[in-house]
Amino acid sequence: MSEQQSTSTKIGHGLAKVLGIKLNYRDPEGPSPITRGESVFSVTSADNFVEEEPTAAEWLRETLPTGPGMLHYVQSLFPFTNWIGRYNAQWLVGDLVAGITIGAVVVPQSMAYAALAALPPQFGLYSSFMGVLIYWFFATSKDITIGPVAVMSTITGNIVLAAADTNPEIPGHVIASALAIICGAVVCFIGLIRCGWIVDFISLAAVSAFITGSAINIAVGQVPTMMGITGFSTRSATYLVVINTLKHLGRTKLDAAMGLTALAMLYIIRSACNFGARRVPSRAKAFFFVSTLRTAFVILLYTMISWLVNRHEKKPLFKILGTVPRGFQNAAVPKVDITIIKVFASQIPASIIVLLIEHIAIAKSFGRINNYIIDPSQELVAIGVTNLLGPFLGAYPATGSFSRTAIKSKAGVRTPFAGVITAIVVLLAIYALPAVFYWIPSASLSGVIIHAVGDLIAPPNTIYQFWQISPLEVIIFFIGVIVTVFSSIEDGIYTTICVSVAVLLFRVVKAKGRFLGKVKVHSVIGDHILGGNDERKYGTNTNPDTDNDPDNSSRNIFLPIEHNDGSNPQIEIVSPYPGIFIYRFSEGFNYPNANHYLDYMVQTIFNETRRTNPNSYPRLGDRPWNDPGPRRGRSAPDHSDRPTLKAVILDFSSVNNVDITSVQTLIDVRNQLDRYAAPHRVEWHMACINNRWTKRALASAGFGYPAHDQPDSAHFQRWKPVFSVAEIGGFDSAAAQAEHDANQRQLRLQKTLDLEQAAAHAKTEEIHATSSEAGTSSASEDFAPRPMAPLDGHKGFGTTGYAGVGGGQGKNRMVVVHGVNRPLFHIDLTSALQSAITNVEKEEIRRESMTLLK
């Protein structure tokens, strides 16, 4: 095996030589120049640790699916298998109540939304039935109710009406079913490849803007129908519908009596129930169910009024719903071809976005409210499968409904199986109630729609809270609403998303780093400054030898020098060390923002330091054009009070990944600053690197090693890096702390038992007062507190030391936290600063000694 490895290594090195690949470019000083004696680590009691770099093979092993991973993936497609086997009667009761409640709400709502989709009412029932029936197989949310919703229905209606003009030979429900198939397939594919995270790119401001704008658009579009006004298109831009409605108010018909009063009754019932729940909290649940069923009650009431008024009339006095076929009359294999797809191709992106963000936003919100976590990718699978199978029964695109989900959650739903109960209710309505549906006033259904979408409009208090958090996003919100009102829902969606992405990119590109300084702080509780014992209690000081140190209650922290983090500007932030700069990346460090970050850093360093060699340009012609120097006859400004540049410490705490562009930019800046500090080199320290691949990338660029002045490796200077070490087995170790805590618990338990036994013994002595003195003495000895024995497997803490792993008292082992092969990669800013100062001072001493020798 070793011969094969040697042969393969030789072949690889030979190919690299032919191709001109420099395998040792990362070690310009020769093999392992930093692994000699004290240059590595000089604490004899510590164990060395060499951190291995991640490899491409390791990444492939972590990324490519495994057998168990594939099995878990298949199981995750059917989440109901995790709980269906433990289904019980108590869950069934909650699901029955919630399922029946939602059924009573969804039946009238679905028929009303079918009107928004420009389809006969039965198609709304079909969509509701398939949504609640299929979803529970794939659900990770118990609260979501899938079915027709106002926004998706409006977009579908716009497509159907446009198709009626361009392709009148294609029925509207065929167009709607084909749209559901295409959108469902795309959404299902996104879910199957587990890319549900793409929804997170759409901000809450964008979602709120399009929902609010759409709700205003839908509500305004339903006012003419509610008033019985005709003669213009209610699908025009919102502002045009408002103008036309006001122009044609004189055409108001008797429909207004059925619509306005129905809308008023819905709000009156809800307000009365809310008032009653506040006044009589013990009856809040009853008021909730009364309020929930108000839609069904109002529709039934006005259906009865319509029947009483119109049953003897040849022509109804106001517009009614009309004939609703019994059963699934439009069940068939959906027709999808190029001609049909061309009809709505331009609307597919908007339709998919609505299906995604409305459902996921609702599911996440109610998951947080009810303390469970949804899987966005699996939710997309559920939406996709629903829209793929629904059209076989005549359904059009469906997604999660906010109003019905809120009702379902408050109704006490226990599992997603409640959808099956709702499906049964909808099925009964499809087969048993079509004769009743015939008399439903269209104006009353419009009132139901207006009432339903009214709750989707963001209230002023929510907008004010948005303003408190991020004023810029409030501007995005209003841009989305205004575009929706003056253009269309689709344009509003695209606008808000594009503006949100543009703002995100702007923030990433223009991310600004911060220079940090050092501040000594104390921890205070009330008027008490935490000292040695207190600091050990809170985990900020673990050294038992500092109790007598008057300054042991302080610690150093690093704050932005310009106080742009909101810290008290009265605090004087001290520069860490003359010529040493600490620079923190505020966000990620990647190709969009690398130049902006480092340009600001370099410019600030130039402004606060001076060249190491002021005579680096002996002749005027040697100066670069962008640094021409002082005008003729004038002397150069005196910057002798400024320090020379010695070291740069980069804080990577907010950086997860780097790329080729950012690392190359960092290399260029390193070379630029080396020329600025010539003939010396600038030392680079990296702190708080959280990713092994980031360490590999920086090490590949030559970072992590000490800088030196001589190019010859023979003159490589010995240096003493500062490492962070941790104890294994000492008093400060996690194992020792756990042992200490266990001993304390055992001691408290033993004391409790001793007290109980002593009390019982005292009572026994009182009853048996005639017991002999010897017997009493013996009993007293039996119940006397005993010294606590060490716990099994652990040694007790003595006064002379503490237990170590596998050793006696007082023994412990020191290990380095990070690998010694990257000595300039530090665990925190403190160790980075210590290392930088140590090396700078050592280098200054070396230079002074060399000067004296000369």
Side-chain angles (χ1 to χ4, degrees):
M1 185 70 179
S2 60
E3 292 181 0
Q4 292 178 353
Q5 290 179 346
S6 177
T7 303
S8 62
T9 301
K10 290 180 179 178
I11 294 174
H13 287 182
L15 288 174
K17 187 174 182 179
V18 171
L19 298 174
I21 299 175
K22 299 178 181 179
L23 297 178
N24 295 325
Y25 79 101
R26 294 168 58 183
D27 299 314
E29 309 305 333
S32 303
I34 60 165
T35 58
R36 300 171 295 172
E38 73 277 5
S39 295
V40 178
F41 201 44
S42 58
V43 180
T44 57
S45 61
D47 289 350
N48 284 345
F49 166 65
V50 177
E51 184 177 352
E52 296 183 2
E53 292 183 349
T55 62
E58 179 183 339
W59 180 83
L60 289 174
R61 285 194 300 269
E62 294 176 352
T63 305
L64 295 179
T66 61
M70 291 297 297
L71 179 61
H72 175 73
Y73 170 76
V74 174
Q75 291 176 342
S76 68
L77 293 177
F78 305 97
F80 76 95
T81 57
N82 297 324
W83 54 265
I84 194 66
R86 291 180 286 276
Y87 200 81
N88 54 67
Q90 188 173 353
W91 288 0
L92 179 61
V93 172
D95 289 345
L96 277 172
V97 174
I100 294 172
T101 302
I102 294 301
V105 173
V106 74
V107 170
Q109 270 194 2
S110 62
M111 292 188 293
Y113 291 154
L116 288 177
L119 297 172
Q122 65 268 22
F123 290 98
L125 296 173
Y126 302 157
S127 300
S128 297
F129 174 76
M130 291 301 292
V132 294
L133 179 65
I134 296 173
Y135 175 68
W136 78 277
F137 283 99
F138 309 95
T140 61
S141 169
K142 69 181 179 65
D143 300 299
I144 282 285
T145 298
I146 289 185
V149 295
V151 179
M152 193 67 239
S153 297
T154 302
I155 293 176
T156 303
N158 294 338
I159 294 172
V160 170
L161 292 176
D165 296 333
T166 58
N167 301 81
E169 71 282 359
I170 305 176
H173 69 273
V174 173
I175 298 289
S177 295
L179 177 65
I181 290 286
I182 298 299
C183 293
V186 174
V187 173
C188 186
F189 174 75
I190 295 173
L192 288 174
I193 62 175
R194 292 306 192 240
C195 286
W197 46 265
I198 64 173
V199 181
D200 296 332
F201 281 97
I202 303 174
S203 67
L204 178 59
V207 174
S208 300
F210 110 81
I211 289 179
T212 298
S214 300
I216 296 172
N217 181 292
I218 294 166
V220 170
Q222 289 301 303
V223 170
T225 304
M226 185 178 65
M227 303 288 290
I229 301 173
T230 57
F232 59 92
S233 173
T234 59
R235 301 276 175 168
S236 302
T238 304
Y239 78 99
L240 291 176
V241 176
V242 172
I243 293 173
N244 289 327
T245 301
L246 295 176
K247 283 182 178 180
H248 298 86
L249 274 179
R251 299 182 183 178
T252 301
K253 300 178 182 176
L254 187 60
D255 299 68
M258 306 300 291
L260 288 174
T261 55
L263 179 61
M265 185 173 292
L266 288 169
Y267 279 108
I268 290 172
I269 294 174
R270 186 176 71 175
S271 300
C273 290
N274 291 340
F275 177 78
R278 289 194 300 269
R279 293 298 300 270
V280 189
S282 59
R283 301 287 183 181
K285 197 71 173 179
F287 283 115
F288 164 73
F289 282 108
V290 172
S291 178
T292 298
L293 297 175
R294 66 185 181 275
T295 301
F297 169 75
V298 168
I299 289 297
L300 288 175
L301 174 63
Y302 280 84
T303 299
M304 184 181 66
I305 294 173
S306 174
W307 175 72
L308 292 173
V309 172
N310 294 314
R311 57 178 176 166
H312 298 306
E313 299 290 336
K314 293 182 179 180
K315 182 179 180 181
L317 300 179
F318 42 80
K319 187 179 179 181
I320 58 177
L321 200 58
T323 303
V324 177
R326 178 178 280 104
F328 297 94
Q329 300 296 322
N330 297 94
V333 176
K335 183 180 180 182
V336 182
D337 55 33
I338 298 299
T339 303
I340 296 176
I341 294 176
K342 286 181 178 179
V343 172
F344 54 77
S346 62
Q347 301 296 325
I348 291 177
S351 302
I352 292 174
I353 291 172
V354 171
L355 290 179
L356 292 178
I357 62 179
E358 191 164 3
H359 180 98
I360 299 300
I362 296 168
K364 285 184 176 180
S365 175
F366 282 91
R368 296 186 185 104
I369 291 172
N370 295 311
N371 196 28
Y372 62 85
I373 299 174
I374 69 156
D375 182 353
S377 296
Q378 183 59 27
E379 289 297 314
L380 298 188
V381 172
I383 303 172
V385 173
T386 298
N387 286 284
L388 282 171
L389 299 181
F392 286 87
L393 292 183
Y396 68 89
T399 188
S401 166
F402 178 81
S403 59
R404 296 195 294 272
T405 299
I407 293 171
K408 190 176 181 181
S409 176
K410 292 181 180 179
V413 63
R414 303 302 300 274
T415 72
F417 188 75
V420 177
I421 310 301
T422 302
I424 295 173
V425 175
V426 176
L427 188 65
L428 290 174
I430 291 173
Y431 279 95
L433 298 179
V436 177
F437 296 155
Y438 176 86
W439 301 101
I440 296 178
S442 297
S444 299
L445 283 180
S446 294
V448 168
I449 294 174
I450 295 172
H451 181 68
V453 300
D455 294 333
L456 301 180
I457 300 175
N461 185 56
T462 299
I463 300 173
Y464 175 73
Q465 291 175 353
F466 287 173
W467 177 264
Q468 293 292 101
I469 297 170
S470 176
L472 182 59
E473 291 190 273
V474 175
I475 297 175
I476 297 174
F477 172 84
F478 281 113
I479 289 174
V481 173
I482 291 171
V483 170
T484 302
V485 168
F486 286 91
S487 181
S488 65
I489 294 176
E490 295 86 347
D491 292 341
I493 293 172
Y494 296 142
T495 301
T496 52
I497 292 176
C498 290
V499 174
S500 297
V501 171
V503 170
L504 173 63
L505 293 176
F506 177 82
R507 287 174 171 171
V508 171
V509 172
K510 291 297 183 180
K512 187 177 180 181
R514 292 184 171 91
F515 284 92
L516 306 182
K518 187 171 60 174
V519 179
K520 182 176 289 187
V521 298
H522 303 263
S523 297
V524 178
I525 295 181
D527 57 355
H528 172 62
I529 297 179
L530 297 183
N533 293 328
D534 296 317
E535 298 249 334
R536 284 201 299 276
K537 173 182 177 183
Y538 292 99
T540 57
N541 180 18
T542 56
N543 187 357
D545 298 329
T546 60
D547 288 342
N548 298 323
D549 185 357
D551 202 36
N552 69 342
S553 62
S554 66
R555 66 186 188 277
N556 290 326
I557 64 171
F558 299 91
L559 294 176
I561 293 176
E562 297 178 354
H563 291 285
N564 47 14
D565 64 334
S567 57
N568 192 338
Q570 296 179 358
I571 298 174
E572 182 179 354
I573 299 177
V574 181
S575 176
Y577 190 87
I580 296 179
F581 293 86
I582 302 177
Y583 189 68
R584 173 180 290 166
F585 298 113
S586 59
E587 294 186 30
F589 181 55
N590 298 101
Y591 70 92
N593 54 27
N595 281 297
H596 190 263
Y597 268 136
L598 298 181
D599 287 349
Y600 171 70
M601 184 189 76
V602 170
Q603 188 61 46
T604 303
I605 290 175
F606 284 171
N607 293 337
E608 297 187 6
T609 60
R610 59 180 172 86
R611 283 185 175 275
T612 305
N613 182 10
N615 300 319
S616 55
Y617 302 124
R619 296 180 302 178
L620 182 62
D622 293 337
R623 302 190 70 95
W625 66 272
N626 60 332
D627 185 15
R631 294 181 178 274
R632 293 183 182 274
R634 296 186 180 182
S635 59
D638 183 16
H639 296 316
S640 58
D641 58 324
R642 296 181 183 179
T644 58
L645 177 61
K646 298 178 179 66
V648 175
I649 300 173
L650 296 181
D651 182 358
F652 278 79
S653 56
S654 61
V655 177
N656 188 41
N657 291 292
V658 294
D659 50 39
I660 295 174
T661 305
S662 59
V663 173
Q664 182 59 50
T665 307
L666 197 58
I667 293 172
D668 295 340
V669 169
R670 179 182 62 186
N671 297 334
Q672 180 184 10
L673 294 182
D674 280 344
R675 289 192 296 269
Y676 178 74
H680 306 316
R681 290 283 193 93
V682 179
E683 204 167 74
W684 291 78
H685 297 258
M686 311 295 178
C688 308
I689 304 177
N690 303 313
N691 187 300
R692 294 174 63 209
W693 285 95
T694 300
K695 290 182 182 179
R696 168 176 160 158
L698 293 172
S700 299
F703 294 98
Y705 305 96
H708 61 93
D709 298 343
Q710 290 81 11
D712 186 1
S713 61
H715 296 92
F716 189 94
Q717 299 297 324
R718 287 174 175 261
W719 48 279
K720 292 181 180 294
V722 176
F723 290 100
S724 296
V725 299
E727 290 183 335
I728 297 180
F731 184 80
D732 292 340
S733 68
Q737 186 63 39
E739 180 182 358
H740 180 268
D741 293 342
N743 285 338
Q744 292 296 322
R745 288 194 297 269
Q746 181 73 10
L747 180 61
R748 288 194 295 270
L749 178 62
Q750 185 67 42
K751 287 182 177 179
T752 302
L753 292 175
D754 289 344
L755 290 173
E756 292 177 353
Q757 291 173 352
H761 177 62
K763 186 174 182 179
T764 303
E765 283 185 336
E766 183 179 352
I767 295 174
H768 303 286
T770 58
S771 298
S772 64
E773 182 177 352
T776 303
S777 176
S778 175
S780 299
E781 292 176 0
D782 290 340
F783 290 105
R786 299 174 175 83
M788 184 188 68
L791 296 177
D792 294 340
H794 298 277
K795 294 184 180 296
F797 289 100
T799 58
T800 59
Y802 41 81
V805 174
Q809 292 181 350
K811 295 182 179 180
N812 61 306
R813 186 156 57 95
M814 306 287 288
V815 295
V816 291
V817 178
H818 281 184
V820 297
N821 55 326
R822 300 289 179 262
L824 300 190
F825 290 167
H826 305 280
I827 191 172
D828 59 7
L829 288 174
T830 300
S831 60
L833 181 59
Q834 290 172 346
S835 180
I837 293 175
T838 300
N839 288 329
V840 166
E841 290 179 344
K842 180 177 179 296
E843 183 65 17
E844 289 178 346
I845 293 173
R846 185 187 68 83
R847 290 170 186 162
E848 289 177 0
S849 62
M850 291 181 65
T851 303
L852 292 175
L853 290 175
K854 291 179 180 179

